[in-house]
Amino acid sequence: MIIKLEKETKESVIDAIKKMIEKEERIIVENEASDCKIIGIIGDSKDIDRNVISCMKGVIDIIDETEKYKRANRKFHPDDTIISIDEERTVGGDNLMIISGPCAVESEEQIIEIAKRVKNAGAKYLRGGVFKPRTSPYDFQGLQYEGLELLKKAREITGLKIVTEIMSTDDIELYEKEVDVIQVGSRNMQNFDLLKRLGKLNKPILLKRGLSATIEEWLMAAEYIMSEGNPNVILCERGIRTYETATRNTLDISAIPLIKKMSHLPIIVDPSHAAGIRWMIEPLSKAAVAIGADGLIIEVHNNPDKALSDGAQSVTPDMFDTIIEDIKPIATAIGRSL
Ligand code: PEP
Ligand code: MN
């Protein structure tokens, strides 16, 4: 249940409402929007006397929402969430979040060279997997802790923020200390133990959509993080499994406007894992920006044909330059910038 109040509603009225609805098994969530105040109630609200509340000064509306996701629900939080990373970086506002870099960190030379190139092109974040969730246990599993040190070195040299995937709850403390944006991969979208632990941090979490997850399941995964106290969730559409085999996955472009309607959380697009095909990254990136995505995460490799993972979908630094130039006018047309 959601109680919508006028922006000017006095604290004394809000306190009185809260006293009336407080119950041990209920959670009360308060949010301040640009044009109203919200009191959200999580838990059974059948016995709340709506007539009494609706007569209180300042109450505009009482909404009985039916969605299972609450904190991630736009009805609970009408304004867009804007996550502040530092003085020059926000996610979910006018600026697009551009993350790029290799699928996996492979060597110092590789990550530093790519970092310099993507920074020059306009990226503000460097991606690079160090713990890789590979389908085969015989494939390259990532440079692990050594890879994280290389990412840190690239950050030191370029000033880019680093984004990397966490696979195990054992690494939470290290990631909290060392990583700027913690990525939860598709395969871990429903690793509830991991999500709950990440919910105890105050770090931005990049939550990729599960391989076959519905939008609701994905928002419920976000809810797991948020329900533990971390509101800094960035969703990432990376393509879903369909019957189509011509592409690696199918980019669910409709997920972007849907998420915007259902939730207040920022959503970015990963055209690389969606398409799995290098030449398709550019058109999908343009479409993502045009439809209102809050950013892109793109795999870039200085020698894609020799990449240890995901080479077929990795663009070269030159191709990345072109993609960035091509999306700029689209961003401008919809009031966004890089
Ligand atoms: C990745 O970003 O390299 C990755 C493994 O992505 P996903 O979890 O979307 O497959
Ligand atoms: Mn990859």
Side-chain angles (χ1 to χ4, degrees):
M1 185 172 132
I2 293 157
I3 304 168
K4 200 169 161 185
L5 302 134
E6 282 165 11
K7 185 106 181 122
E8 300 73 31
T9 307
K10 290 203 183 88
E11 275 310 306
S12 57
V13 176
I14 292 176
D15 287 343
I17 294 176
K18 276 162 57 185
K19 269 224 174 68
M20 285 169 63
I21 59 180
E22 256 159 18
K23 221 178 177 185
E24 213 179 308
E25 60 274 24
R26 264 185 212 137
I27 299 167
I28 297 172
V29 182
E30 278 183 78
N31 276 317
E32 177 112 34
S34 46
D35 63 348
C36 67
K37 283 181 175 163
I38 298 281
I39 300 177
I41 300 145
I42 304 175
D44 191 359
S45 52
K46 279 200 275 304
D47 64 348
I48 295 176
D49 192 336
R50 285 154 172 75
N51 290 330
V52 175
I53 293 176
S54 59
C55 292
M56 293 180 82
K57 196 168 162 37
V59 173
I60 304 169
D61 202 2
I62 299 177
I63 304 158
D64 282 305
E65 91 291 350
T66 51
E67 297 85 6
K68 287 196 215 135
Y69 49 95
K70 308 290 179 186
R71 288 178 164 90
N73 195 328
R74 192 175 280 279
K75 291 177 189 162
F76 271 65
H77 188 292
D79 292 347
D80 287 343
T81 280
I82 299 178
I83 299 172
S84 176
I85 308 282
D86 65 4
E87 308 73 45
E88 52 163 317
R89 294 172 181 86
T90 54
V91 189
D94 290 341
N95 288 323
L96 296 179
M97 179 191 213
I98 306 293
I99 308 172
S100 58
C103 178
V105 178
E106 297 171 6
S107 68
E108 178 167 342
E109 201 189 1
Q110 175 240 24
I111 193 68
I112 306 281
E113 187 182 328
I114 297 172
K116 286 181 179 164
R117 285 296 307 266
V118 300
K119 187 200 165 138
N120 274 344
K124 296 254 171 66
Y125 302 81
L126 176 67
R127 63 151 290 148
V130 296
F131 289 94
K132 294 304 302 174
R134 305 304 300 278
T135 302
S136 166
Y138 309 114
D139 287 341
F140 177 57
Q141 302 287 309
L143 294 182
Q144 312 200 348
Y145 301 109
E146 184 198 334
L148 185 54
E149 290 307 310
L150 299 180
L151 268 183
K152 282 163 60 186
K153 201 159 191 179
R155 171 175 60 196
E156 210 176 292
I157 293 172
T158 59
L160 294 169
K161 296 284 175 195
I162 55 177
V163 182
T164 195
E165 177 170 354
I166 191 163
M167 298 247 288
S168 164
T169 50
D170 294 346
D171 294 326
I172 297 230
E173 274 157 33
L174 178 68
Y175 272 57
E176 180 181 23
K177 194 161 145 261
E178 309 288 11
V179 176
D180 300 307
V181 178
I182 304 177
Q183 177 175 329
V184 175
S186 287
R187 290 150 193 86
N188 270 314
M189 189 205 82
Q190 284 187 319
N191 181 339
F192 298 120
D193 200 28
L194 183 63
L195 299 178
K196 281 196 257 184
R197 292 282 302 279
L198 293 170
K200 302 254 190 269
L201 312 184
N202 195 28
K203 283 257 152 170
I205 309 296
L206 182 64
L207 179 64
K208 289 195 148 195
R209 184 176 182 180
L211 304 172
S212 304
T214 64
I215 303 264
E216 187 181 75
E217 286 163 343
W218 187 16
L219 287 174
M220 290 311 291
E223 193 79 18
Y224 262 92
I225 300 171
M226 299 173 86
S227 67
E228 295 293 330
N230 187 351
N232 305 310
V233 179
I234 303 158
L235 301 167
C236 176
E237 162 61 40
R238 47 78 74 202
I240 47 171
R241 280 248 164 103
T242 66
Y243 54 79
E244 183 55 72
T245 53
T247 47
R248 180 174 178 180
N249 290 290
T250 298
L251 179 64
D252 181 8
I253 199 86
S254 59
I256 295 102
L258 262 175
I259 288 286
K260 288 279 171 204
K261 193 158 184 69
M262 296 161 81
S263 180
H264 50 88
L265 295 173
I267 174 169
I268 70 165
V269 167
D270 174 348
S272 308
H273 292 86
I277 304 169
R278 194 173 306 153
W279 66 262
M280 214 182 270
I281 310 309
E282 183 185 343
L284 294 184
S285 298
K286 288 179 180 167
V289 173
I291 208 166
D294 295 300
L296 294 165
I297 177 167
I298 297 178
E299 287 187 341
V300 178
H301 199 286
N302 48 354
N303 193 353
D305 295 330
K306 292 266 158 60
L308 297 181
S309 63
D310 288 348
Q313 67 197 32
S314 299
V315 296
T316 62
D318 285 346
M319 289 171 82
F320 184 67
D321 288 344
T322 309
I323 293 169
I324 294 295
E325 285 314 308
D326 286 356
I327 62 174
K328 275 182 189 163
I330 301 173
T332 307
I334 58 162
R336 312 293 287 269
S337 63
L338 266 60

